[in-house]
Amino acid sequence: MLEQYISSRNLHFMLHEVLDVTQLQKIEHFEAYDREAIDMTLEAAKQISDQYLFPFYRVMDKEKARYEDGVVHVHPCMKPAIQALAEGGWINAHEDFEAGGQQMPYTVLNAATLIFHAANANIACNAFLTTGAANLIRTFGSAALNETYIPQLYSGQWQGTMAMTEPQAGSSLSDLSSSAEPVNDGEYYTIKGQKIYISGGDHNAVDNVVHLLLARIKGAPAGTKGISLFVVPKYRPENGQLVFNDVTTAGIYGKMGQKGYVAAHLMLGEQQDDCRGYLVGQPNQGLRYMFQMMNEARIGTGMVAAATASAAFYASLKYAHERPQGRHPSNKDSSQPPVLIIEHADVRRMLLFQKAITEGSIALLLQCSLYGDLAHRAQGEEASNAHLLLELLTPIAKSYPSEMGVQSVSQGMQVLGGAGYTDDFPLEQHYRDIRVNSIYEGTTTIHGMDLLGRKLTMENGKGLQLLSQEMQSVIEAALPSARLKPYAEQLMKTGASLQETTLNLFQLARTESPEVFLADATLYLEYFSTMIIAWMWLKQAVAAEKGLAQNPAQGDKNFYEGKLQAFSFFFEYELPKMVGMKIRLNSQVRVTMDTTPDMLV
């Protein structure tokens, strides 16, 4: 019997009892997704994960991807797994029925994606990276590009990537130097340059790799305004054949984790000076186009982190139920048998921390997914409001699971003690695998500056006003409950405190340089995020109390009580940390600004 790596019960709880996703049926595009269809969708995802993904998670770490004689070899399980995801319709599940898709709401699709990533993100990331690349071609590419590339990408025969990073330009995209020169009045462009750390950038589980690549057309404006987007395949289709397109893999990186998920170093136009790229959309609009994929990838990165934390939680929970060690402090009789470690309060503290972080993150990610569905498919003010909320919360949805997920997995490793540090158990792999998510798709610092420097002030702060209204509605739903009322009041006070701190920082922005204003943007992101997850837990607690009021069977009773205990844990152990963060954010002592490079010796 397979070990548990995610709670299907929690996903059903989130979709039906917390978010009421069947409300999307009022939108014609999603009318097929009633409760039965949603439940069947999740069950199908679990079946694929149990058969094609989870059994190979640990073996892919041991038998890692390798580069030999110019070929990137991945574990043999990769090809059938990608094919199973493609044949199940997962790569293009969001597409219209007419285009071969299932018109699946992102809220449902992302719940299923959490299952895939918890089972084995080393495989799942490849398939859903292809989804993002195909979306860019489908949305902004010509009919010819769509006809040539979309079917092969959706079939799983070809891999899609996002190729941005260069040796001299990481997150600073204005410094990109890859060049593009038009041929035959723009029939195609010859591409020259290098790309590094390209996830899924080359492997032998697919027949071709299609890069959605940023480059600068010769003569284009400097900086980000002169960046264009191109389709650059490893092999270009010509007369029914695949022809080498002068995209060479120089090697793959030896990563700390995600050993089965390749990060490639690509050379463009190095051998034959004939790497051909095909312009997507209009010249010099590449960064705007790419941000569609980047925003999808940011939510996706948060999901990978939350899913990895979920798998680690269930691995440590299993160990805690099986490992006897020690006795209660009140029992000094060494002749008595040791108790299971889950009987110790501090072990339960660590498990509650894992549960609170993991399920709080999942709640936020699915909430953002619902906003995404409404933003794309609803009408008028409902759509525009959902779009603003999604924009505001995306930095948190990417960064909180990524940063706090590392701490969550670390606590899981601590539950196992010395055993957790060995490869006899999966915790050390989860720890290595999750670490990169705070780096992918913009480091945490970038998202802190994005939140504080841009997202809060969009449309004169309307997004923040809408968020306050959303939170207030949950607080009002919780206030009638004697059990929840103190926590609802605590969240109200926390929100007022955050507003005060935010106003102080904006006052600072009016009197000081941006460097001073943004110096602690990362801390502000953590501060803001902690309140957001508290809101998500209060929302879950309201639903859990409703569930308990219906006198459920013992299994569901335990589930709801477990929800309420994790909710209490977050408010008692995590939310109070905002007090210290507020002191720092309002301090006039500028330690980092006053520290010169010469002092760091």
Side-chain angles (χ1 to χ4, degrees), residues 179-183 188-195 211 213 215 230-236 243-248 266-278:
S179 65
E181 191 165 356
V183 176
Y188 63 87
Y189 292 72
T190 53
I191 309 292
K192 291 281 287 186
Q194 297 183 50
K195 296 292 179 178
H211 306 288
L213 183 144
F230 299 88
V231 169
V232 181
K234 179 180 179 179
Y235 299 104
R236 61 179 183 260
V243 178
F244 177 61
N245 193 39
D246 205 2
V247 177
T248 308
L266 305 177
M267 308 294 291
L268 311 165
E270 183 76 10
Q271 292 188 6
Q272 303 172 353
D273 199 25
D274 189 26
C275 175
R276 301 184 185 184
Y278 305 92

Side-chain angles (χ1 to χ4, degrees), residues 281-508:
Q282 298 299 311
N284 306 328
Q285 298 297 311
L287 198 57
R288 181 173 70 85
Y289 298 155
M290 187 66 91
F291 262 107
Q292 171 184 291
M293 188 174 180
M294 287 172 67
N295 281 331
E296 291 172 4
R298 285 166 177 169
I299 298 293
T301 299
M303 288 197 296
V304 173
T308 305
S310 170
F313 169 59
Y314 285 106
S316 55
L317 181 64
K318 179 177 184 290
Y319 186 88
H321 276 289
E322 294 174 349
R323 169 67 170 169
Q325 184 169 300
R327 296 162 186 83
H328 292 300
S330 60
N331 181 6
K332 306 298 183 182
D333 186 355
S334 60
S335 67
Q336 295 293 315
V339 297
L340 295 175
I341 61 172
I342 201 167
E343 295 292 332
H344 299 302
D346 197 58
V347 171
R348 291 197 296 272
R349 175 190 63 80
M350 291 186 283
L351 292 168
L352 278 166
F353 177 80
Q354 287 184 269
K355 183 177 175 67
I357 299 303
T358 300
E359 293 182 7
S361 297
I362 287 172
L364 174 60
L365 290 160
L366 294 178
Q367 178 71 69
C368 286
S369 301
L370 180 58
Y371 289 145
D373 282 324
L374 294 173
H376 286 103
R377 296 295 177 180
Q379 300 293 321
E381 189 176 39
E382 184 179 25
S384 60
N385 287 351
H387 172 74
L388 275 175
L389 285 163
L390 179 60
E391 286 285 308
L392 178 62
L393 292 174
T394 293
I396 295 99
K398 188 273 176 185
S399 300
Y400 185 89
S402 300
E403 289 285 359
M404 294 303 294
V406 174
Q407 295 187 37
S408 177
V409 176
S410 179
Q411 289 291 280
M413 184 181 290
Q414 196 76 9
V415 169
L416 275 69
Y421 198 66
T422 72
D423 62 6
D424 294 329
F425 295 91
L427 271 298
E428 62 86 25
Q429 183 183 346
H430 292 310
Y431 191 71
R432 288 184 287 108
D433 281 358
I434 198 172
R435 181 60 186 86
V436 74
N437 290 290
S438 62
I439 299 170
Y440 278 154
E441 309 307 331
T443 61
T444 305
T445 299
I446 288 171
H447 291 287
M449 292 192 291
D450 181 43
L451 175 66
L452 184 57
R454 191 172 75 89
K455 295 296 178 63
L456 293 180
T457 57
M458 285 191 315
E459 296 195 19
N460 297 316
K462 184 179 178 181
L464 198 55
Q465 295 171 9
L466 292 168
L467 178 63
S468 297
Q469 293 169 12
E470 294 273 288
M471 292 179 65
Q472 187 60 35
S473 67
V474 174
I475 289 169
E476 289 173 1
L479 285 173
S481 163
R483 185 172 183 175
L484 304 186
K485 182 178 180 181
Y487 296 117
E489 292 173 342
Q490 183 183 358
L491 185 58
M492 270 196 292
K493 292 176 183 176
T494 300
S497 179
L498 184 141
Q499 185 177 26
E500 176 189 346
T501 298
T502 303
L503 291 173
N504 289 343
L505 288 171
F506 283 140
Q507 181 62 38
L508 188 68

Side-chain angles (χ1 to χ4, degrees), residues 505-537:
L505 288 171
F506 283 140
Q507 181 62 38
L508 188 68
R510 286 190 284 269
T511 58
E512 299 281 1
S513 69
E515 288 79 8
V516 174
F517 169 55
L518 295 172
D520 279 330
T522 303
L523 181 61
Y524 181 84
L525 175 63
E526 181 182 355
Y527 180 64
F528 194 97
S529 299
T530 304
M531 185 193 70
I532 294 297
I533 300 300
W535 163 48
M536 287 291 98
W537 268 113

Side-chain angles (χ1 to χ4, degrees), residues 87-286:
E87 290 167 9
W90 294 103
I91 295 178
N92 64 330
H94 63 286
E95 273 279 22
D96 293 349
F97 293 137
E98 293 79 5
Q102 301 177 46
Q103 293 185 190
M104 188 180 294
Y106 275 109
T107 318
V108 179
L109 177 57
N110 284 346
T113 303
L114 282 162
I115 297 174
F116 296 135
H117 286 316
N120 191 338
N122 286 266
I123 293 174
C125 283
N126 286 281
F128 294 106
L129 188 59
T130 297
T131 298
N135 281 352
L136 279 180
I137 297 173
R138 181 179 54 82
T139 305
F140 302 111
S142 65
L145 286 176
N146 271 265
E147 183 179 346
T148 301
Y149 291 96
I150 294 296
Q152 297 294 336
L153 289 167
Y154 283 161
S155 73
Q157 299 298 316
W158 293 1
Q159 170 77 52
T161 82
M162 178 166 57
M164 293 189 296
T165 305
E166 298 180 3
Q168 80 296 336
S171 300
S172 180
L173 296 176
S174 60
D175 296 323
L176 286 176
S177 64
S178 290
S179 65
E181 191 165 356
V183 176
N184 295 337
D185 293 326
E187 177 187 346
Y188 63 87
Y189 292 72
T190 53
I191 309 292
K192 291 281 287 186
Q194 297 183 50
K195 296 292 179 178
I196 61 174
Y197 306 135
I198 306 306
S199 296
D202 191 14
H203 59 84
N204 65 343
V206 291
D207 298 331
N208 196 9
V209 182
V210 181
H211 306 288
L212 272 293
L213 183 144
L214 294 179
R216 195 182 305 279
I217 297 173
K218 289 191 175 181
T224 57
K225 293 181 180 179
I227 296 173
S228 297
L229 180 63
F230 299 88
V231 169
V232 181
K234 179 180 179 179
Y235 299 104
R236 61 179 183 260
E238 287 186 1
N239 301 318
Q241 303 293 320
L242 288 177
V243 178
F244 177 61
N245 193 39
D246 205 2
V247 177
T248 308
T249 301
I252 61 174
Y253 293 90
K255 298 191 291 182
M256 172 180 168
Q258 295 189 339
K259 301 288 189 179
Y261 183 35
V262 170
H265 183 163
L266 305 177
M267 308 294 291
L268 311 165
E270 183 76 10
Q271 292 188 6
Q272 303 172 353
D273 199 25
D274 189 26
C275 175
R276 301 184 185 184
Y278 305 92
L279 183 67
V280 176
Q282 298 299 311
N284 306 328
Q285 298 297 311

